[in-house]
Amino acid sequence: MTMLKIQSLMLIGALFFCCQTSQETYQDFISEEIIYIGNPEEVIIGHGYEKLRFLIVINADPKIKKGFISSKNGNFTREFDVVRKNSGIDTISVDADIPEGEYTFEILLSDDVGNQSIGYEVGSVVYGPRYQSTLLNRLTTIRTFATKAVFQWNPPTEGSLSTVLTYEDASGVIQEVRIDNNENETVVSDFRLGGMVSIATTYEPSETSLEGFHAVPFETAFPEDFEMDKSIIVPIPLNFDADDGDLSAGRGLAVLFDGKADSAPNQYSATSEAAPSAYPFVMTFDVGFDSKPTAIRVDPRTDCCSDRAPSTFQVWGYTGPDINNAHTVDIKTTELVDWEADAVAKGWIKLLDHKTTNSIPKTDITAIGDDRYRYLRFVALASQIAKPQADWFQPNFTELTFWSQ
């Protein structure tokens, strides 16, 4: 065989080998072709109590059939089917119960044979009992009267939505009222003294919250007594009682029951140390109904001179129908023990003997049997000032409040 023929055969073999190798490489490329799946366009997370709602926005790729949600810490995984409502861009909703904590999630989309999208990462907080324990209930002051209870609300805490007030009515039935944040006062006409009261404020931790989060309810009760209605209390001056005070400055007896425990000029004041309204002095009142007194509060001035308000005083009650027979001797010209004996002889019953050098805003009165009193006497004996010094001893105070059962 000639050299030329040999070289020709070798060239043909090489060409054949090259063709075979190229064909195999192409087939390998065809068999290993990557199938790309559309990844999530956006993921929005809604927050519930130990629960999240994943709103996964997907594109129009028809190959998307499944999805996977997993936490980076490996504590949570969830597979879900993609059921379209729209042929184009669509949103898939997935609810998941997850323990409270902070998480980073990865969301993958997949076709029927396991080809997956690029991962989409999103962080979120899951709220639960620890978060709930930090929520504060809206504060309130409860004032009870003979015919109503008044809830005076503090300003709402930032982030709160509303407050639910639950209480026991006069029949023992539980009632529920929703209190909006812009409500500063709530009046309840049907309630039970000493009855149950519960307050729970609702919050939303995020703009995408699925539900409200309630603070642990604050449990309390209506007071056992009620404030006497000041609008029906009328001064009944008996012999030697205190006068109407310094009327020239608008400081008469009426200011003691106007509901304004503030400072001058809204104060009752003696005209001088020699006046009937200077210590010691007696005031008599018709409280408008047969009361069973439980407490008294004396409000001093708030601008100054709080030590001029009565701090040693007595409260007396009268059960008789005819107050005209209840006059007593002059307390300023008689020893206290003799004045008290005269008061008892005239039908008065001592309900409270408050002796202190400190100002106590509200003082309890111990009930004596089941007696009720239409008329009450306030006997002011001294203020916090140890001894008179010029006009410092001139008594003045701004409000007088009684409670009853």
PDB file of all heavy atoms in Angstrom, residues 169-191:
ATOM      1  N   ASP A 169     -73.319  44.159  85.359  1.00  0.00           N
ATOM      2  CA  ASP A 169     -74.406  45.113  85.560  1.00  0.00           C
ATOM      3  C   ASP A 169     -75.135  44.824  86.877  1.00  0.00           C
ATOM      4  O   ASP A 169     -74.777  43.896  87.621  1.00  0.00           O
ATOM      5  CB  ASP A 169     -75.351  45.142  84.362  1.00  0.00           C
ATOM      6  CG  ASP A 169     -76.173  43.870  84.200  1.00  0.00           C
ATOM      7  OD1 ASP A 169     -76.270  43.072  85.158  1.00  0.00           O
ATOM      8  OD2 ASP A 169     -76.737  43.668  83.107  1.00  0.00           O
ATOM      9  N   ALA A 170     -76.166  45.612  87.162  1.00  0.00           N
ATOM     10  CA  ALA A 170     -76.859  45.505  88.449  1.00  0.00           C
ATOM     11  C   ALA A 170     -77.509  44.140  88.653  1.00  0.00           C
ATOM     12  O   ALA A 170     -77.721  43.718  89.793  1.00  0.00           O
ATOM     13  CB  ALA A 170     -77.910  46.607  88.555  1.00  0.00           C
ATOM     14  N   SER A 171     -77.800  43.436  87.565  1.00  0.00           N
ATOM     15  CA  SER A 171     -78.418  42.109  87.661  1.00  0.00           C
ATOM     16  C   SER A 171     -77.394  40.987  87.690  1.00  0.00           C
ATOM     17  O   SER A 171     -77.762  39.807  87.711  1.00  0.00           O
ATOM     18  CB  SER A 171     -79.381  41.900  86.479  1.00  0.00           C
ATOM     19  OG  SER A 171     -80.389  42.890  86.466  1.00  0.00           O
ATOM     20  N   GLY A 172     -76.108  41.348  87.647  1.00  0.00           N
ATOM     21  CA  GLY A 172     -75.057  40.340  87.640  1.00  0.00           C
ATOM     22  C   GLY A 172     -74.734  39.804  86.268  1.00  0.00           C
ATOM     23  O   GLY A 172     -73.955  38.849  86.139  1.00  0.00           O
ATOM     24  N   VAL A 173     -75.297  40.407  85.217  1.00  0.00           N
ATOM     25  CA  VAL A 173     -75.035  39.979  83.836  1.00  0.00           C
ATOM     26  C   VAL A 173     -73.798  40.706  83.319  1.00  0.00           C
ATOM     27  O   VAL A 173     -73.624  41.905  83.538  1.00  0.00           O
ATOM     28  CB  VAL A 173     -76.248  40.274  82.937  1.00  0.00           C
ATOM     29  CG1 VAL A 173     -75.961  39.871  81.491  1.00  0.00           C
ATOM     30  CG2 VAL A 173     -77.490  39.555  83.459  1.00  0.00           C
ATOM     31  N   ILE A 174     -72.921  39.980  82.630  1.00  0.00           N
ATOM     32  CA  ILE A 174     -71.693  40.555  82.101  1.00  0.00           C
ATOM     33  C   ILE A 174     -71.992  41.331  80.821  1.00  0.00           C
ATOM     34  O   ILE A 174     -72.588  40.800  79.885  1.00  0.00           O
ATOM     35  CB  ILE A 174     -70.643  39.462  81.838  1.00  0.00           C
ATOM     36  CG1 ILE A 174     -70.334  38.694  83.130  1.00  0.00           C
ATOM     37  CG2 ILE A 174     -69.370  40.085  81.283  1.00  0.00           C
ATOM     38  CD1 ILE A 174     -69.842  39.572  84.261  1.00  0.00           C
ATOM     39  N   GLN A 175     -71.559  42.585  80.785  1.00  0.00           N
ATOM     40  CA  GLN A 175     -71.725  43.446  79.617  1.00  0.00           C
ATOM     41  C   GLN A 175     -70.359  43.779  79.029  1.00  0.00           C
ATOM     42  O   GLN A 175     -69.347  43.761  79.729  1.00  0.00           O
ATOM     43  CB  GLN A 175     -72.456  44.737  80.005  1.00  0.00           C
ATOM     44  CG  GLN A 175     -73.805  44.531  80.658  1.00  0.00           C
ATOM     45  CD  GLN A 175     -74.836  43.951  79.709  1.00  0.00           C
ATOM     46  OE1 GLN A 175     -74.714  44.062  78.485  1.00  0.00           O
ATOM     47  NE2 GLN A 175     -75.870  43.329  80.259  1.00  0.00           N
ATOM     48  N   GLU A 176     -70.353  44.083  77.722  1.00  0.00           N
ATOM     49  CA  GLU A 176     -69.088  44.399  77.044  1.00  0.00           C
ATOM     50  C   GLU A 176     -69.268  45.637  76.174  1.00  0.00           C
ATOM     51  O   GLU A 176     -70.252  45.753  75.440  1.00  0.00           O
ATOM     52  CB  GLU A 176     -68.634  43.212  76.193  1.00  0.00           C
ATOM     53  CG  GLU A 176     -67.268  43.392  75.562  1.00  0.00           C
ATOM     54  CD  GLU A 176     -66.791  42.128  74.840  1.00  0.00           C
ATOM     55  OE1 GLU A 176     -66.448  41.149  75.543  1.00  0.00           O
ATOM     56  OE2 GLU A 176     -66.793  42.123  73.592  1.00  0.00           O
ATOM     57  N   VAL A 177     -68.310  46.558  76.278  1.00  0.00           N
ATOM     58  CA  VAL A 177     -68.369  47.808  75.521  1.00  0.00           C
ATOM     59  C   VAL A 177     -67.004  48.042  74.881  1.00  0.00           C
ATOM     60  O   VAL A 177     -65.959  47.882  75.534  1.00  0.00           O
ATOM     61  CB  VAL A 177     -68.725  49.006  76.433  1.00  0.00           C
ATOM     62  CG1 VAL A 177     -68.766  50.297  75.626  1.00  0.00           C
ATOM     63  CG2 VAL A 177     -70.061  48.770  77.126  1.00  0.00           C
ATOM     64  N   ARG A 178     -67.003  48.425  73.608  1.00  0.00           N
ATOM     65  CA  ARG A 178     -65.764  48.779  72.915  1.00  0.00           C
ATOM     66  C   ARG A 178     -65.502  50.270  73.083  1.00  0.00           C
ATOM     67  O   ARG A 178     -66.362  51.095  72.793  1.00  0.00           O
ATOM     68  CB  ARG A 178     -65.859  48.428  71.433  1.00  0.00           C
ATOM     69  CG  ARG A 178     -64.579  48.700  70.647  1.00  0.00           C
ATOM     70  CD  ARG A 178     -64.761  48.274  69.186  1.00  0.00           C
ATOM     71  NE  ARG A 178     -63.568  48.486  68.401  1.00  0.00           N
ATOM     72  CZ  ARG A 178     -63.275  49.612  67.767  1.00  0.00           C
ATOM     73  NH1 ARG A 178     -64.117  50.651  67.851  1.00  0.00           N
ATOM     74  NH2 ARG A 178     -62.174  49.732  67.066  1.00  0.00           N
ATOM     75  N   ILE A 179     -64.292  50.607  73.553  1.00  0.00           N
ATOM     76  CA  ILE A 179     -63.926  51.991  73.802  1.00  0.00           C
ATOM     77  C   ILE A 179     -62.928  52.439  72.737  1.00  0.00           C
ATOM     78  O   ILE A 179     -61.815  51.904  72.655  1.00  0.00           O
ATOM     79  CB  ILE A 179     -63.301  52.162  75.204  1.00  0.00           C
ATOM     80  CG1 ILE A 179     -64.177  51.491  76.278  1.00  0.00           C
ATOM     81  CG2 ILE A 179     -63.066  53.635  75.510  1.00  0.00           C
ATOM     82  CD1 ILE A 179     -65.568  52.027  76.374  1.00  0.00           C
ATOM     83  N   ASP A 180     -63.314  53.399  71.893  1.00  0.00           N
ATOM     84  CA  ASP A 180     -62.412  53.911  70.875  1.00  0.00           C
ATOM     85  C   ASP A 180     -61.316  54.768  71.507  1.00  0.00           C
ATOM     86  O   ASP A 180     -61.487  55.313  72.608  1.00  0.00           O
ATOM     87  CB  ASP A 180     -63.177  54.739  69.846  1.00  0.00           C
ATOM     88  CG  ASP A 180     -64.116  53.891  69.003  1.00  0.00           C
ATOM     89  OD1 ASP A 180     -63.796  52.700  68.797  1.00  0.00           O
ATOM     90  OD2 ASP A 180     -65.158  54.414  68.572  1.00  0.00           O
ATOM     91  N   ASN A 181     -60.211  54.908  70.793  1.00  0.00           N
ATOM     92  CA  ASN A 181     -59.083  55.685  71.319  1.00  0.00           C
ATOM     93  C   ASN A 181     -59.432  57.150  71.557  1.00  0.00           C
ATOM     94  O   ASN A 181     -58.833  57.806  72.407  1.00  0.00           O
ATOM     95  CB  ASN A 181     -57.887  55.595  70.366  1.00  0.00           C
ATOM     96  CG  ASN A 181     -57.094  54.320  70.571  1.00  0.00           C
ATOM     97  OD1 ASN A 181     -57.335  53.580  71.521  1.00  0.00           O
ATOM     98  ND2 ASN A 181     -56.152  54.051  69.692  1.00  0.00           N
ATOM     99  N   ASN A 182     -60.388  57.670  70.798  1.00  0.00           N
ATOM    100  CA  ASN A 182     -60.745  59.092  70.955  1.00  0.00           C
ATOM    101  C   ASN A 182     -61.781  59.322  72.052  1.00  0.00           C
ATOM    102  O   ASN A 182     -62.219  60.448  72.269  1.00  0.00           O
ATOM    103  CB  ASN A 182     -61.246  59.676  69.637  1.00  0.00           C
ATOM    104  CG  ASN A 182     -62.473  58.941  69.114  1.00  0.00           C
ATOM    105  OD1 ASN A 182     -62.988  58.031  69.760  1.00  0.00           O
ATOM    106  ND2 ASN A 182     -62.940  59.331  67.933  1.00  0.00           N
ATOM    107  N   GLU A 183     -62.168  58.258  72.743  1.00  0.00           N
ATOM    108  CA  GLU A 183     -63.139  58.382  73.830  1.00  0.00           C
ATOM    109  C   GLU A 183     -62.405  58.607  75.150  1.00  0.00           C
ATOM    110  O   GLU A 183     -61.563  57.792  75.552  1.00  0.00           O
ATOM    111  CB  GLU A 183     -63.996  57.116  73.914  1.00  0.00           C
ATOM    112  CG  GLU A 183     -65.159  57.226  74.877  1.00  0.00           C
ATOM    113  CD  GLU A 183     -66.123  56.050  74.768  1.00  0.00           C
ATOM    114  OE1 GLU A 183     -66.088  55.358  73.722  1.00  0.00           O
ATOM    115  OE2 GLU A 183     -66.897  55.827  75.702  1.00  0.00           O
ATOM    116  N   ASN A 184     -62.720  59.690  75.808  1.00  0.00           N
ATOM    117  CA  ASN A 184     -62.047  60.042  77.065  1.00  0.00           C
ATOM    118  C   ASN A 184     -62.854  59.690  78.302  1.00  0.00           C
ATOM    119  O   ASN A 184     -62.290  59.590  79.399  1.00  0.00           O
ATOM    120  CB  ASN A 184     -61.730  61.549  77.084  1.00  0.00           C
ATOM    121  CG  ASN A 184     -60.807  61.959  75.966  1.00  0.00           C
ATOM    122  OD1 ASN A 184     -59.841  61.254  75.661  1.00  0.00           O
ATOM    123  ND2 ASN A 184     -61.101  63.087  75.335  1.00  0.00           N
ATOM    124  N   GLU A 185     -64.157  59.510  78.128  1.00  0.00           N
ATOM    125  CA  GLU A 185     -65.015  59.209  79.271  1.00  0.00           C
ATOM    126  C   GLU A 185     -66.134  58.278  78.840  1.00  0.00           C
ATOM    127  O   GLU A 185     -66.738  58.462  77.784  1.00  0.00           O
ATOM    128  CB  GLU A 185     -65.586  60.503  79.849  1.00  0.00           C
ATOM    129  CG  GLU A 185     -66.431  60.314  81.110  1.00  0.00           C
ATOM    130  CD  GLU A 185     -66.879  61.642  81.699  1.00  0.00           C
ATOM    131  OE1 GLU A 185     -66.087  62.272  82.419  1.00  0.00           O
ATOM    132  OE2 GLU A 185     -68.021  62.048  81.416  1.00  0.00           O
ATOM    133  N   THR A 186     -66.389  57.264  79.645  1.00  0.00           N
ATOM    134  CA  THR A 186     -67.470  56.325  79.375  1.00  0.00           C
ATOM    135  C   THR A 186     -68.397  56.297  80.584  1.00  0.00           C
ATOM    136  O   THR A 186     -67.938  56.111  81.716  1.00  0.00           O
ATOM    137  CB  THR A 186     -66.921  54.905  79.127  1.00  0.00           C
ATOM    138  OG1 THR A 186     -65.983  54.943  78.046  1.00  0.00           O
ATOM    139  CG2 THR A 186     -68.033  53.938  78.783  1.00  0.00           C
ATOM    140  N   VAL A 187     -69.697  56.487  80.339  1.00  0.00           N
ATOM    141  CA  VAL A 187     -70.688  56.504  81.420  1.00  0.00           C
ATOM    142  C   VAL A 187     -71.534  55.236  81.335  1.00  0.00           C
ATOM    143  O   VAL A 187     -72.085  54.908  80.285  1.00  0.00           O
ATOM    144  CB  VAL A 187     -71.586  57.753  81.327  1.00  0.00           C
ATOM    145  CG1 VAL A 187     -72.647  57.722  82.436  1.00  0.00           C
ATOM    146  CG2 VAL A 187     -70.745  59.023  81.426  1.00  0.00           C
ATOM    147  N   VAL A 188     -71.620  54.514  82.440  1.00  0.00           N
ATOM    148  CA  VAL A 188     -72.408  53.283  82.536  1.00  0.00           C
ATOM    149  C   VAL A 188     -73.518  53.522  83.555  1.00  0.00           C
ATOM    150  O   VAL A 188     -73.245  53.879  84.706  1.00  0.00           O
ATOM    151  CB  VAL A 188     -71.517  52.100  82.973  1.00  0.00           C
ATOM    152  CG1 VAL A 188     -72.370  50.870  83.238  1.00  0.00           C
ATOM    153  CG2 VAL A 188     -70.456  51.817  81.917  1.00  0.00           C
ATOM    154  N   SER A 189     -74.752  53.349  83.147  1.00  0.00           N
ATOM    155  CA  SER A 189     -75.879  53.627  84.038  1.00  0.00           C
ATOM    156  C   SER A 189     -76.350  52.394  84.801  1.00  0.00           C
ATOM    157  O   SER A 189     -77.013  52.519  85.838  1.00  0.00           O
ATOM    158  CB  SER A 189     -77.050  54.212  83.241  1.00  0.00           C
ATOM    159  OG  SER A 189     -77.468  53.301  82.242  1.00  0.00           O
ATOM    160  N   ASP A 190     -76.024  51.222  84.309  1.00  0.00           N
ATOM    161  CA  ASP A 190     -76.467  49.974  84.937  1.00  0.00           C
ATOM    162  C   ASP A 190     -75.237  49.205  85.384  1.00  0.00           C
ATOM    163  O   ASP A 190     -74.553  48.579  84.575  1.00  0.00           O
ATOM    164  CB  ASP A 190     -77.295  49.162  83.943  1.00  0.00           C
ATOM    165  CG  ASP A 190     -77.892  47.910  84.569  1.00  0.00           C
ATOM    166  OD1 ASP A 190     -77.855  47.789  85.810  1.00  0.00           O
ATOM    167  OD2 ASP A 190     -78.375  47.040  83.819  1.00  0.00           O
ATOM    168  N   PHE A 191     -74.942  49.233  86.675  1.00  0.00           N
ATOM    169  CA  PHE A 191     -73.738  48.574  87.179  1.00  0.00           C
ATOM    170  C   PHE A 191     -73.996  48.089  88.603  1.00  0.00           C
ATOM    171  O   PHE A 191     -74.975  48.470  89.252  1.00  0.00           O
ATOM    172  CB  PHE A 191     -72.546  49.533  87.161  1.00  0.00           C
ATOM    173  CG  PHE A 191     -72.652  50.649  88.172  1.00  0.00           C
ATOM    174  CD1 PHE A 191     -71.983  50.577  89.384  1.00  0.00           C
ATOM    175  CD2 PHE A 191     -73.435  51.768  87.916  1.00  0.00           C
ATOM    176  CE1 PHE A 191     -72.093  51.595  90.319  1.00  0.00           C
ATOM    177  CE2 PHE A 191     -73.554  52.794  88.838  1.00  0.00           C
ATOM    178  CZ  PHE A 191     -72.882  52.711  90.051  1.00  0.00           C
TER     179      PHE A 191
END
